[in-house]
Amino acid sequence: MKKQNWVGISLLGSLVCMIAFGAYVVSARQKNTVYLEDIQGDAAYLKAFPLEGVMGDQTESTAFTLINGNLETKHCAYGTDDWKAIEENHRMGIRGIHAYLYAPISGDHFMISTNVVPAKGAKQEYTQECQVGLFDAYTDAVKGETITTDAVEVLCDVEAFYMTSRGIHSAYGRSNIARFSTGLVMRDQPYIFAVGAEEHERLDYINYRHCYNNYNDSYAGEEDGVHQLRDYVTNVGNEIYAVVAPDQRCEGTTYVYRVSVEAEKPATYSGDMDFSDFLNMREEYGTAEPIVAVPDAKESSVVGLEGIGENQFALFSVKDNMWVVDVYDAKGALVGSVKQEIQWDTIPNYRFTGDPRFEIKCRQTKFEDGISLSVNLRGTMYEDTAKTSSDYGSTYETDIGRMLLWITKEGVTEMPMDDTVRDAVSNGKQVLYWDIQAAEEGKKLDEIKRYGTMDEVTIKIIDAQEQNTLYEGRLRTDCWQDKLTEIANIDNAKENGYLQMREGAAFLESDIRQIEQLRVMDWKE
């Protein structure tokens, strides 16, 4: 009898635990609710822009979609970063358990670099000794060889690969590499090629393993030495496109090249080599087909290259006070061109030098009949406290241009932009603006000075031609309310690890539940 009672009590306890656990799960699934609040206009316009996003923290998240006016949510037992990684895997076609194991990197990836060799017909001076000062101080270079030349030819190396959490793998299951001449020659200063030799314990054993040239061993931004040329690579469908941006030192004409890589990666020097091997770097692998001629650096500066969809690419350049986007088809025919004045004066007390170090940031969304391309031109500004021409003080990266383009096979159209929002997408007829921000109540807490929780999204759709508002709404969440219950007082905040002390002031640190991402989903066939 007692045994049965104990069994009953045990079963009852298990049942209670199961009920409690089930209640916890239900409670967890009720967290991070999201709802759409209409402000004005017709919500039917949202059907043209299917949205997906995620909110939560590093321990749990809630994914949500807004498709054809239907708002759906799904609780996930992992953080927002993991959710974004898994969704990226799904977009890449990775299914099953592998979608949860592999660290995703969207699409094929490429490594690109430039190298130089003595130009054909250049003057060369050969010495049977190594300039020891070229190498690091720890190198005991006891012998070597050096060639100094007055002109070099610029080569480009491109390698395609993909990466997972298990390491780097060659793209398409093979080693992919190409090396080709860019057609550019530089003769602005003497160029040095040297191989140093190091003596080991046996005095008769000399190991050639230190290779040097003053083009590859210099760094961009270095005042003395040779700055390497900037290079860009992208993919258009399954094809690789690459360009090396010429500067004022360059002679000759170069192109945007369509690159075909070799199936077998050629052997390259490993460090143990003789001097003839070191100079024999001009051997070309794969093929490089010229597609579009690049203007001379005196006319404009190439600052980026981006593949668009399956059969187009954009070449970005800067000329005087304008930045230009030229869109071509895969064969090099010009589809359309858009230019915009650069907004130089963006931050007080900062300025640009002669080399602003431009950078292009792109985001594209595929629709049934075209592609929306959002482009940011960024520049590195220097604090205007310089005591000398080379003393630039601190630096600051900022947007100095923004474009929203609608690209079809027939042409390129610039869509209206709102500089007050961070994200925009167009389907050619309407423009969707959205901005993740903190609700007003998320900025206030009497007891604790804290960071604002990004817990709502403002949404606005305008007509691309008339630019009148068609719809305005707000995606709202209860992220702030959920977090407020966990930090209702300082003691709870400390106990749960949400409160950190910094310089005597209390701040709420990471794991603040909030909206981490929102984007328009690609159109699917």
Side-chain angles (χ1 to χ4, degrees), residues 328-399:
Y328 299 89
D329 67 17
K331 296 181 179 179
L334 183 65
V335 176
S337 182
V338 178
K339 61 181 179 180
Q340 185 184 99
E341 186 174 357
I342 296 176
Q343 305 299 315
W344 295 106
D345 300 325
T346 55
I347 304 177
N349 302 321
Y350 279 77
R351 63 188 171 89
F352 287 93
T353 66
D355 180 10
R357 297 194 300 191
F358 296 109
E359 185 179 6
I360 295 291
K361 297 289 187 182
C362 294
R363 184 180 63 256
Q364 54 184 291
T365 305
K366 180 181 178 182
F367 289 85
E368 182 176 5
D369 52 356
I371 289 179
S372 176
L373 184 69
S374 176
V375 189
N376 288 39
L377 175 68
R378 297 185 65 80
T380 301
M381 303 181 71
Y382 298 84
E383 190 176 9
D384 197 8
T385 57
K387 299 178 182 178
T388 66
S389 59
S390 61
D391 180 14
Y392 298 130
S394 61
T395 61
Y396 188 90
E397 286 190 1
T398 183
D399 288 338

Side-chain angles (χ1 to χ4, degrees), residues 74-92:
K74 179 182 179 181
H75 179 78
C76 306
Y78 40 81
T80 53
D81 289 342
D82 291 330
W83 176 89
K84 288 184 282 188
I86 294 166
E87 288 302 305
E88 193 64 39
N89 272 333
H90 288 161
R91 265 180 287 275
M92 294 170 61

Side-chain angles (χ1 to χ4, degrees), residues 271-307:
D272 298 334
M273 59 185 300
D274 59 32
F275 199 47
S276 61
D277 291 332
F278 181 52
L279 290 180
N280 189 27
M281 299 293 289
R282 69 168 59 255
E283 183 180 357
E284 298 184 18
Y285 316 115
T287 60
E289 178 187 357
I291 300 297
V292 173
V294 174
D296 187 273
K298 297 179 179 62
E299 299 179 15
S300 64
S301 301
V302 173
V303 296
L305 182 70
E306 180 80 7

